[in-house]
């Protein structure tokens, strides 16, 4: 079987799909390899991500990784969410085929972009090193 049961489960029944009209931060990133797009919405209260939703024009692996990533950051402090790596997401899904690993990067980057957007909107100082560098497409969306 190419995909783990967890991948299939999150693909067929993705968690936290949709948008948050009153989001505190929105991150949109594109995958340079395939052209897929991911948008992530977060609600933040007292530094905790109280709610998160995502929408994507992406493949099944992008849907599954984003779905589980939203579960992993919901209710967590922002600092924890920033540490979420695509590797941890893939491990939580019991793996992805090698040629699909790039899809998991979308989720990680979209979360970071949403947090960055939240910081920017609220004039909160942050360590730029923790975010994408200047040539990254996700920084272009939310200047
Ligand atoms: Fe585009 Fe998977 S093929 S995110």
């Amino acid at each position: 079987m190419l995909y783990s049961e967890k991948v299939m489960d999150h693909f067929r029944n993705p968690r936290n799909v949709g948008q948050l009209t009153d989001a505190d931060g929105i991150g949109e990133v594109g995958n340079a390899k395939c052209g897929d797009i991911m948008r992530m919405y977060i609600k933040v209260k007292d530094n905790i991500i109280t709610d998160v939703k995502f929408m994507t024009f992406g493949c099944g692996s992008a849907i599954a990784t984003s779905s589980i990533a939203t579960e992993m950051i919901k209710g967590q402090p922002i600092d924890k969410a920033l540490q979420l790596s695509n590797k941890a997401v893939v491990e939580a899904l019991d793996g992805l085929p090698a040629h699909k690993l790039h899809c998991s990067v979308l989720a990680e980057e979209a979360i970071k972009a949403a947090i960055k957007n939240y910081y920017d909107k609220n004039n909160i100082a942050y360590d730029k090193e923790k975010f994408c560098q200047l040539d990254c497409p996700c920084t272009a969306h939310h200047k």
Side-chain angles (χ1 to χ4, degrees):
M1 175 85 169
L2 196 53
Y3 292 105
S4 72
E5 257 172 51
K6 275 200 189 150
V7 173
M8 291 311 292
D9 175 34
H10 278 269
F11 167 58
R12 289 202 184 102
N13 181 21
R15 325 310 194 247
N16 302 310
V17 171
Q19 29 189 331
L20 294 173
T21 46
D22 56 348
D24 296 310
I26 302 175
E28 186 177 298
V29 295
N31 192 320
K33 283 202 178 187
C34 60
D36 289 351
I37 297 172
M38 169 83 52
R39 192 176 294 164
M40 194 73 71
Y41 301 80
I42 54 170
K43 278 297 284 176
V44 180
K45 191 158 189 266
D46 300 331
N47 242 359
I48 304 278
I49 297 182
T50 55
D51 203 2
V52 49
K53 293 241 187 295
F54 79 94
M55 299 226 301
T56 185
F57 293 102
C59 70
S61 299
I63 293 171
T65 44
S66 305
S67 167
I68 201 159
T70 58
E71 283 196 325
M72 290 166 88
I73 64 164
K74 197 165 170 176
Q76 297 293 324
I78 284 184
D79 275 352
K80 260 261 175 96
L82 280 176
Q83 283 163 17
L84 185 74
S85 66
N86 70 308
K87 196 164 164 268
V89 171
V90 171
E91 272 166 18
L93 282 174
D94 294 334
L96 273 178
H99 70 286
K100 283 278 151 191
L101 282 177
H102 74 269
C103 313
S104 63
V105 178
L106 268 186
E108 178 193 334
E109 288 187 344
I111 289 168
K112 290 205 168 91
I115 292 171
K116 183 172 178 295
N117 179 236
Y118 164 73
Y119 282 160
D120 286 341
K121 271 197 197 152
N122 293 281
N123 291 320
I124 299 170
Y126 55 86
D127 179 0
K128 297 213 166 50
E129 294 289 308
K130 281 189 187 158
F131 294 88
C132 308
Q133 303 306 309
L134 281 176
D135 54 354
C136 168
C138 73
T139 53
H141 286 285
H142 291 288
K143 282 251 166 73

